Amino acid sequence: MSRTLRSLSLLLSYPTADLKAGAGELRGAIAEERALKPRTRAALDPLFDSFARDELLELQGRYVDLFDRTRSLSLHLFEHVHGESRERGQAMIDLRETYLAHGFYMTPEELPDYLPAFLEFTSLLPPREARQLLAQPAHVFQALFERLAKRKTPYAAVMHAVIELSGARGNPEALEELRRQPDPSADDFAAVDAAWEEAPVRFGPETPEPTGFVAKLRAWKRSAERPPAAS
């Protein structure tokens, strides 16, 4: 399960030349680990095919249109749970402390609710603990899946895979509340959060060190003191 979670984390990260070149390795890792159902693995093929077929700029443009220009598709989990409320700040602190307790370090400018980072963290946990943590925002994953599926983007398959790994259906009331929220297109520039105009968070080690699976693709500016737990 750990390799699959880390692969999904990378697939939801901003496309880079390294990620494009290593997508085939991620596909192989997911297939080998078999943490996902065959149908779920097959649903990821269009995204993997796009990494092999399309130019990097095209991949990056689609990613930005989806996740940077569309607030309802934000990959920051607390954006959907707390919005701009005061609770969001405390939730950030609590999640960062959870990371630190497990030896998962982030720089001060990195936001702990960023979904690729969240999935990377869960990949360090034993499977049971990982599922328990993934289950907590399962309603957010479901809402994101539905919005991505509506846009007919292959990224919807990644979110479906995350839901499957969580093994949870999510809070139905919370999901209905998310469904009632506006879901504008990327062309609705008035809906773009001004905070996203700042420099993008960079996840790349200053001095890369081998840490295990696809280490050469890792882009994180932090170190984990313990290796991913075997699944």
Side-chain angles (χ1 to χ4, degrees), residues 61-134:
R62 285 200 296 264
Y63 184 95
V64 169
D65 283 343
L66 282 172
F67 301 119
D68 292 346
R69 293 182 178 173
T70 311
R71 186 169 187 172
S72 60
L73 296 178
S74 171
L75 292 180
H76 291 279
L77 296 174
F78 294 155
E79 173 74 22
H80 306 283
V81 178
H82 299 296
E84 300 302 322
S85 68
R86 291 184 178 180
E87 287 80 4
R88 185 177 185 179
Q90 185 59 52
M92 290 281 195
I93 294 172
D94 293 343
L95 184 56
R96 188 179 294 274
E97 290 179 350
T98 298
Y99 289 174
L100 288 173
H102 289 79
F104 186 88
Y105 299 103
M106 304 183 76
T107 60
E109 66 270 16
E110 293 174 329
L111 300 180
D113 69 332
Y114 183 53
L115 182 52
F118 182 75
L119 295 178
E120 172 75 5
F121 171 68
T122 60
S123 77
L124 302 175
L125 304 176
R128 183 177 179 180
E129 292 181 30
R131 290 190 181 95
Q132 289 175 342
L133 189 59
L134 288 169

Side-chain angles (χ1 to χ4, degrees), residues 121-154:
F121 171 68
T122 60
S123 77
L124 302 175
L125 304 176
R128 183 177 179 180
E129 292 181 30
R131 290 190 181 95
Q132 289 175 342
L133 189 59
L134 288 169
Q136 294 182 26
H139 59 291
V140 177
F141 300 150
Q142 180 63 34
L144 288 171
F145 165 72
E146 293 175 2
R147 293 165 184 171
L148 290 166
K150 182 178 70 174
R151 291 164 171 80
K152 301 185 186 304
T153 168

Side-chain angles (χ1 to χ4, degrees), residues 206-221:
E206 306 268 340
T207 305
E209 297 180 0
T211 55
F213 172 66
V214 291
K216 63 180 178 294
L217 297 181
R218 301 268 317 269
W220 310 100
K221 275 188 179 175

